[in-house]
Every structure is written in structure tokens, then in C-alpha cells.
Amino acid sequence: APSEAVAKYRGKYKVGWDEIRRRRHTQLIEKGIIKGDWKCSPRDENSIPWEDEQNKDWEDARMAVYAAQIDIMDQGIGRIVQTLKDCNVYENTIIIFLSDNG
């Protein structure tokens, strides 16, 4: 991801993955996306608690790069959708998004 895109997200992840998960879970409840009595799933057993992470700055940078990549992808998808609408073919279009984890 370009450095200016990454810079937008640097520092936002310093609170750590445990706190980010807690906040996102709370937001899902507040927005009515999930029920209030649904518990946040446990941290992946292969992930250490954030307070035990020795490379917090590096992890913040890594997560900022991922966020920047998603931001850029989202902008590109937005341009495609807008072009479909401008060409009056959006309502007759199926959009399929595939992702490979590896």
C-alpha cells in the first residue's frame, strides 16, 4: 500500500487487537447487527494477549498496511459501482467478491 495510505492508519492499532475486538463487538451490538447477549468470541488460541506482544510498533504498522489495502480496494469497488450506475446497468449487475486467504 502507498505510504500516504498507510500513514492514515498508523497509530490507530496501538490499543491492541484485544481492545479493537472488544470495541468492534460493542459497535455491532450498538448498531443492532448482533444481539446484545451475544458474547465476543475468544481470542484465537495462537494469538497472544496484546500486553504480551513484544513488537507493538511493528504490529501497529502491519495492521495499518492491511487497513490501507482494504481502504484502497474499497475505493476501487466504489468507482466500479458508480460507473455501473452511471451506465444504467447497476440494477442488472451481480457483483461477486472472492478472496483467497493464501
Side-chain angles (χ1 to χ4, degrees), residues 1-3 5-7 9-10 13 58-72:
S3 57
V6 175
Y9 295 98
R10 280 305 305 261
Y13 297 95
W58 185 86
E59 291 292 348
D60 172 67
R62 185 172 73 105
M63 290 187 280
V65 169
Y66 291 154
Q69 290 171 330
I70 297 300
D71 189 344
I72 291 168

PDB file of all heavy atoms in Angstrom, residues 1-3 5-7 9-10 13 58-72:
ATOM      1  N   ALA A   1       0.850  -1.182   0.000  1.00  0.00           N
ATOM      2  CA  ALA A   1       0.000   0.000   0.000  1.00  0.00           C
ATOM      3  C   ALA A   1       0.891   1.238   0.000  1.00  0.00           C
ATOM      4  O   ALA A   1       1.945   1.240   0.632  1.00  0.00           O
ATOM      5  CB  ALA A   1      -0.915   0.000   1.207  1.00  0.00           C
ATOM      6  N   PRO A   2       0.479   2.284  -0.698  1.00  0.00           N
ATOM      7  CA  PRO A   2       1.269   3.516  -0.707  1.00  0.00           C
ATOM      8  C   PRO A   2       1.438   4.088   0.704  1.00  0.00           C
ATOM      9  O   PRO A   2       0.539   3.991   1.545  1.00  0.00           O
ATOM     10  CB  PRO A   2       0.436   4.464  -1.578  1.00  0.00           C
ATOM     11  CG  PRO A   2      -0.443   3.576  -2.395  1.00  0.00           C
ATOM     12  CD  PRO A   2      -0.706   2.368  -1.545  1.00  0.00           C
ATOM     13  N   SER A   3       2.592   4.695   0.935  1.00  0.00           N
ATOM     14  CA  SER A   3       2.899   5.182   2.277  1.00  0.00           C
ATOM     15  C   SER A   3       1.881   6.199   2.782  1.00  0.00           C
ATOM     16  O   SER A   3       1.563   6.216   3.974  1.00  0.00           O
ATOM     17  CB  SER A   3       4.312   5.757   2.329  1.00  0.00           C
ATOM     18  OG  SER A   3       4.459   6.792   1.382  1.00  0.00           O
ATOM     19  N   ALA A   5      -1.284   6.228   2.188  1.00  0.00           N
ATOM     20  CA  ALA A   5      -2.477   5.483   2.607  1.00  0.00           C
ATOM     21  C   ALA A   5      -2.230   4.802   3.951  1.00  0.00           C
ATOM     22  O   ALA A   5      -3.099   4.787   4.822  1.00  0.00           O
ATOM     23  CB  ALA A   5      -2.865   4.456   1.549  1.00  0.00           C
ATOM     24  N   VAL A   6      -1.039   4.279   4.139  1.00  0.00           N
ATOM     25  CA  VAL A   6      -0.681   3.623   5.400  1.00  0.00           C
ATOM     26  C   VAL A   6      -0.637   4.651   6.529  1.00  0.00           C
ATOM     27  O   VAL A   6      -1.120   4.392   7.638  1.00  0.00           O
ATOM     28  CB  VAL A   6       0.667   2.884   5.279  1.00  0.00           C
ATOM     29  CG1 VAL A   6       1.100   2.316   6.626  1.00  0.00           C
ATOM     30  CG2 VAL A   6       0.589   1.790   4.222  1.00  0.00           C
ATOM     31  N   ALA A   7      -0.101   5.832   6.241  1.00  0.00           N
ATOM     32  CA  ALA A   7       0.030   6.881   7.268  1.00  0.00           C
ATOM     33  C   ALA A   7      -1.322   7.243   7.877  1.00  0.00           C
ATOM     34  O   ALA A   7      -1.402   7.583   9.059  1.00  0.00           O
ATOM     35  CB  ALA A   7       0.688   8.122   6.665  1.00  0.00           C
ATOM     36  N   TYR A   9      -3.561   5.337   8.793  1.00  0.00           N
ATOM     37  CA  TYR A   9      -3.944   4.353   9.806  1.00  0.00           C
ATOM     38  C   TYR A   9      -2.885   4.117  10.881  1.00  0.00           C
ATOM     39  O   TYR A   9      -3.168   3.431  11.866  1.00  0.00           O
ATOM     40  CB  TYR A   9      -4.277   3.019   9.118  1.00  0.00           C
ATOM     41  CG  TYR A   9      -5.496   3.143   8.246  1.00  0.00           C
ATOM     42  CD1 TYR A   9      -5.393   3.346   6.886  1.00  0.00           C
ATOM     43  CD2 TYR A   9      -6.768   3.104   8.806  1.00  0.00           C
ATOM     44  CE1 TYR A   9      -6.517   3.487   6.086  1.00  0.00           C
ATOM     45  CE2 TYR A   9      -7.900   3.244   8.026  1.00  0.00           C
ATOM     46  CZ  TYR A   9      -7.763   3.434   6.666  1.00  0.00           C
ATOM     47  OH  TYR A   9      -8.884   3.584   5.890  1.00  0.00           O
ATOM     48  N   ARG A  10      -1.684   4.662  10.712  1.00  0.00           N
ATOM     49  CA  ARG A  10      -0.633   4.445  11.714  1.00  0.00           C
ATOM     50  C   ARG A  10      -1.069   4.989  13.067  1.00  0.00           C
ATOM     51  O   ARG A  10      -1.625   6.066  13.171  1.00  0.00           O
ATOM     52  CB  ARG A  10       0.680   5.126  11.294  1.00  0.00           C
ATOM     53  CG  ARG A  10       1.517   4.385  10.285  1.00  0.00           C
ATOM     54  CD  ARG A  10       1.883   2.963  10.661  1.00  0.00           C
ATOM     55  NE  ARG A  10       2.553   2.784  11.923  1.00  0.00           N
ATOM     56  CZ  ARG A  10       3.848   2.629  12.081  1.00  0.00           C
ATOM     57  NH1 ARG A  10       4.658   2.651  11.052  1.00  0.00           N
ATOM     58  NH2 ARG A  10       4.347   2.444  13.275  1.00  0.00           N
ATOM     59  N   TYR A  13      -3.904   1.362  15.769  1.00  0.00           N
ATOM     60  CA  TYR A  13      -3.940  -0.010  16.270  1.00  0.00           C
ATOM     61  C   TYR A  13      -3.078  -0.213  17.512  1.00  0.00           C
ATOM     62  O   TYR A  13      -2.930  -1.321  17.997  1.00  0.00           O
ATOM     63  CB  TYR A  13      -3.528  -0.973  15.147  1.00  0.00           C
ATOM     64  CG  TYR A  13      -4.508  -0.909  14.011  1.00  0.00           C
ATOM     65  CD1 TYR A  13      -4.289  -0.089  12.912  1.00  0.00           C
ATOM     66  CD2 TYR A  13      -5.691  -1.629  14.073  1.00  0.00           C
ATOM     67  CE1 TYR A  13      -5.218  -0.004  11.893  1.00  0.00           C
ATOM     68  CE2 TYR A  13      -6.629  -1.542  13.057  1.00  0.00           C
ATOM     69  CZ  TYR A  13      -6.383  -0.737  11.971  1.00  0.00           C
ATOM     70  OH  TYR A  13      -7.308  -0.639  10.965  1.00  0.00           O
ATOM     71  N   TRP A  58       5.680  -2.618  15.410  1.00  0.00           N
ATOM     72  CA  TRP A  58       5.654  -3.374  14.152  1.00  0.00           C
ATOM     73  C   TRP A  58       4.244  -3.884  13.879  1.00  0.00           C
ATOM     74  O   TRP A  58       3.765  -3.814  12.735  1.00  0.00           O
ATOM     75  CB  TRP A  58       6.635  -4.543  14.210  1.00  0.00           C
ATOM     76  CG  TRP A  58       6.736  -5.260  12.906  1.00  0.00           C
ATOM     77  CD1 TRP A  58       7.548  -4.945  11.857  1.00  0.00           C
ATOM     78  CD2 TRP A  58       5.989  -6.410  12.501  1.00  0.00           C
ATOM     79  NE1 TRP A  58       7.344  -5.827  10.831  1.00  0.00           N
ATOM     80  CE2 TRP A  58       6.402  -6.737  11.192  1.00  0.00           C
ATOM     81  CE3 TRP A  58       5.020  -7.193  13.119  1.00  0.00           C
ATOM     82  CZ2 TRP A  58       5.871  -7.812  10.499  1.00  0.00           C
ATOM     83  CZ3 TRP A  58       4.487  -8.264  12.413  1.00  0.00           C
ATOM     84  CH2 TRP A  58       4.920  -8.568  11.127  1.00  0.00           C
ATOM     85  N   GLU A  59       3.561  -4.378  14.879  1.00  0.00           N
ATOM     86  CA  GLU A  59       2.192  -4.874  14.698  1.00  0.00           C
ATOM     87  C   GLU A  59       1.246  -3.735  14.309  1.00  0.00           C
ATOM     88  O   GLU A  59       0.365  -3.929  13.470  1.00  0.00           O
ATOM     89  CB  GLU A  59       1.693  -5.574  15.961  1.00  0.00           C
ATOM     90  CG  GLU A  59       2.383  -6.891  16.258  1.00  0.00           C
ATOM     91  CD  GLU A  59       2.063  -7.995  15.251  1.00  0.00           C
ATOM     92  OE1 GLU A  59       1.137  -7.843  14.434  1.00  0.00           O
ATOM     93  OE2 GLU A  59       2.746  -9.026  15.289  1.00  0.00           O
ATOM     94  N   ASP A  60       1.430  -2.566  14.906  1.00  0.00           N
ATOM     95  CA  ASP A  60       0.627  -1.409  14.520  1.00  0.00           C
ATOM     96  C   ASP A  60       0.863  -1.082  13.046  1.00  0.00           C
ATOM     97  O   ASP A  60      -0.093  -0.834  12.299  1.00  0.00           O
ATOM     98  CB  ASP A  60       0.982  -0.198  15.391  1.00  0.00           C
ATOM     99  CG  ASP A  60       0.317   1.074  14.899  1.00  0.00           C
ATOM    100  OD1 ASP A  60      -0.926   1.172  14.971  1.00  0.00           O
ATOM    101  OD2 ASP A  60       1.049   1.966  14.415  1.00  0.00           O
ATOM    102  N   ALA A  61       2.119  -1.108  12.611  1.00  0.00           N
ATOM    103  CA  ALA A  61       2.443  -0.823  11.210  1.00  0.00           C
ATOM    104  C   ALA A  61       1.838  -1.885  10.293  1.00  0.00           C
ATOM    105  O   ALA A  61       1.287  -1.565   9.232  1.00  0.00           O
ATOM    106  CB  ALA A  61       3.958  -0.759  11.025  1.00  0.00           C
ATOM    107  N   ARG A  62       1.930  -3.127  10.693  1.00  0.00           N
ATOM    108  CA  ARG A  62       1.386  -4.227   9.888  1.00  0.00           C
ATOM    109  C   ARG A  62      -0.126  -4.084   9.723  1.00  0.00           C
ATOM    110  O   ARG A  62      -0.670  -4.201   8.619  1.00  0.00           O
ATOM    111  CB  ARG A  62       1.724  -5.566  10.551  1.00  0.00           C
ATOM    112  CG  ARG A  62       1.325  -6.778   9.751  1.00  0.00           C
ATOM    113  CD  ARG A  62       1.881  -8.031  10.408  1.00  0.00           C
ATOM    114  NE  ARG A  62       1.178  -8.368  11.608  1.00  0.00           N
ATOM    115  CZ  ARG A  62       0.306  -9.372  11.698  1.00  0.00           C
ATOM    116  NH1 ARG A  62       0.049 -10.129  10.666  1.00  0.00           N
ATOM    117  NH2 ARG A  62      -0.293  -9.620  12.844  1.00  0.00           N
ATOM    118  N   MET A  63      -0.821  -3.799  10.810  1.00  0.00           N
ATOM    119  CA  MET A  63      -2.275  -3.643  10.740  1.00  0.00           C
ATOM    120  C   MET A  63      -2.646  -2.398   9.941  1.00  0.00           C
ATOM    121  O   MET A  63      -3.661  -2.382   9.236  1.00  0.00           O
ATOM    122  CB  MET A  63      -2.869  -3.625  12.151  1.00  0.00           C
ATOM    123  CG  MET A  63      -2.773  -4.998  12.822  1.00  0.00           C
ATOM    124  SD  MET A  63      -3.634  -5.131  14.410  1.00  0.00           S
ATOM    125  CE  MET A  63      -2.454  -4.366  15.512  1.00  0.00           C
ATOM    126  N   ALA A  64      -1.818  -1.341  10.011  1.00  0.00           N
ATOM    127  CA  ALA A  64      -2.063  -0.133   9.225  1.00  0.00           C
ATOM    128  C   ALA A  64      -1.939  -0.425   7.736  1.00  0.00           C
ATOM    129  O   ALA A  64      -2.721   0.088   6.930  1.00  0.00           O
ATOM    130  CB  ALA A  64      -1.100   0.976   9.646  1.00  0.00           C
ATOM    131  N   VAL A  65      -0.988  -1.258   7.360  1.00  0.00           N
ATOM    132  CA  VAL A  65      -0.839  -1.640   5.943  1.00  0.00           C
ATOM    133  C   VAL A  65      -2.061  -2.407   5.487  1.00  0.00           C
ATOM    134  O   VAL A  65      -2.608  -2.134   4.411  1.00  0.00           O
ATOM    135  CB  VAL A  65       0.455  -2.460   5.727  1.00  0.00           C
ATOM    136  CG1 VAL A  65       0.473  -3.094   4.339  1.00  0.00           C
ATOM    137  CG2 VAL A  65       1.681  -1.583   5.926  1.00  0.00           C
ATOM    138  N   TYR A  66      -2.519  -3.359   6.274  1.00  0.00           N
ATOM    139  CA  TYR A  66      -3.724  -4.112   5.906  1.00  0.00           C
ATOM    140  C   TYR A  66      -4.928  -3.178   5.756  1.00  0.00           C
ATOM    141  O   TYR A  66      -5.694  -3.289   4.803  1.00  0.00           O
ATOM    142  CB  TYR A  66      -4.043  -5.182   6.944  1.00  0.00           C
ATOM    143  CG  TYR A  66      -3.064  -6.330   7.005  1.00  0.00           C
ATOM    144  CD1 TYR A  66      -2.894  -7.051   8.186  1.00  0.00           C
ATOM    145  CD2 TYR A  66      -2.306  -6.719   5.912  1.00  0.00           C
ATOM    146  CE1 TYR A  66      -2.004  -8.113   8.259  1.00  0.00           C
ATOM    147  CE2 TYR A  66      -1.415  -7.773   5.985  1.00  0.00           C
ATOM    148  CZ  TYR A  66      -1.272  -8.467   7.150  1.00  0.00           C
ATOM    149  OH  TYR A  66      -0.401  -9.514   7.223  1.00  0.00           O
ATOM    150  N   ALA A  67      -5.085  -2.261   6.699  1.00  0.00           N
ATOM    151  CA  ALA A  67      -6.212  -1.325   6.641  1.00  0.00           C
ATOM    152  C   ALA A  67      -6.124  -0.457   5.386  1.00  0.00           C
ATOM    153  O   ALA A  67      -7.138  -0.203   4.728  1.00  0.00           O
ATOM    154  CB  ALA A  67      -6.241  -0.457   7.898  1.00  0.00           C
ATOM    155  N   ALA A  68      -4.926  -0.001   5.049  1.00  0.00           N
ATOM    156  CA  ALA A  68      -4.743   0.819   3.852  1.00  0.00           C
ATOM    157  C   ALA A  68      -5.087   0.026   2.599  1.00  0.00           C
ATOM    158  O   ALA A  68      -5.721   0.552   1.671  1.00  0.00           O
ATOM    159  CB  ALA A  68      -3.307   1.330   3.783  1.00  0.00           C
ATOM    160  N   GLN A  69      -4.699  -1.241   2.568  1.00  0.00           N
ATOM    161  CA  GLN A  69      -5.023  -2.077   1.408  1.00  0.00           C
ATOM    162  C   GLN A  69      -6.533  -2.218   1.242  1.00  0.00           C
ATOM    163  O   GLN A  69      -7.056  -2.099   0.130  1.00  0.00           O
ATOM    164  CB  GLN A  69      -4.382  -3.462   1.558  1.00  0.00           C
ATOM    165  CG  GLN A  69      -2.881  -3.437   1.433  1.00  0.00           C
ATOM    166  CD  GLN A  69      -2.251  -4.773   1.788  1.00  0.00           C
ATOM    167  OE1 GLN A  69      -2.762  -5.544   2.607  1.00  0.00           O
ATOM    168  NE2 GLN A  69      -1.115  -5.056   1.184  1.00  0.00           N
ATOM    169  N   ILE A  70      -7.235  -2.439   2.331  1.00  0.00           N
ATOM    170  CA  ILE A  70      -8.691  -2.570   2.277  1.00  0.00           C
ATOM    171  C   ILE A  70      -9.329  -1.247   1.872  1.00  0.00           C
ATOM    172  O   ILE A  70     -10.276  -1.214   1.079  1.00  0.00           O
ATOM    173  CB  ILE A  70      -9.253  -3.054   3.633  1.00  0.00           C
ATOM    174  CG1 ILE A  70      -8.725  -4.447   3.963  1.00  0.00           C
ATOM    175  CG2 ILE A  70     -10.780  -3.028   3.646  1.00  0.00           C
ATOM    176  CD1 ILE A  70      -9.064  -5.529   2.965  1.00  0.00           C
ATOM    177  N   ASP A  71      -8.816  -0.147   2.390  1.00  0.00           N
ATOM    178  CA  ASP A  71      -9.323   1.183   2.043  1.00  0.00           C
ATOM    179  C   ASP A  71      -9.198   1.419   0.534  1.00  0.00           C
ATOM    180  O   ASP A  71     -10.160   1.835  -0.127  1.00  0.00           O
ATOM    181  CB  ASP A  71      -8.546   2.243   2.818  1.00  0.00           C
ATOM    182  CG  ASP A  71      -9.120   3.641   2.700  1.00  0.00           C
ATOM    183  OD1 ASP A  71      -9.943   3.897   1.791  1.00  0.00           O
ATOM    184  OD2 ASP A  71      -8.741   4.498   3.508  1.00  0.00           O
ATOM    185  N   ILE A  72      -8.033   1.129  -0.016  1.00  0.00           N
ATOM    186  CA  ILE A  72      -7.805   1.319  -1.450  1.00  0.00           C
ATOM    187  C   ILE A  72      -8.718   0.405  -2.264  1.00  0.00           C
ATOM    188  O   ILE A  72      -9.301   0.824  -3.272  1.00  0.00           O
ATOM    189  CB  ILE A  72      -6.319   1.084  -1.786  1.00  0.00           C
ATOM    190  CG1 ILE A  72      -5.483   2.213  -1.189  1.00  0.00           C
ATOM    191  CG2 ILE A  72      -6.109   0.976  -3.295  1.00  0.00           C
ATOM    192  CD1 ILE A  72      -3.997   1.941  -1.193  1.00  0.00           C
TER     193      ILE A  72
END
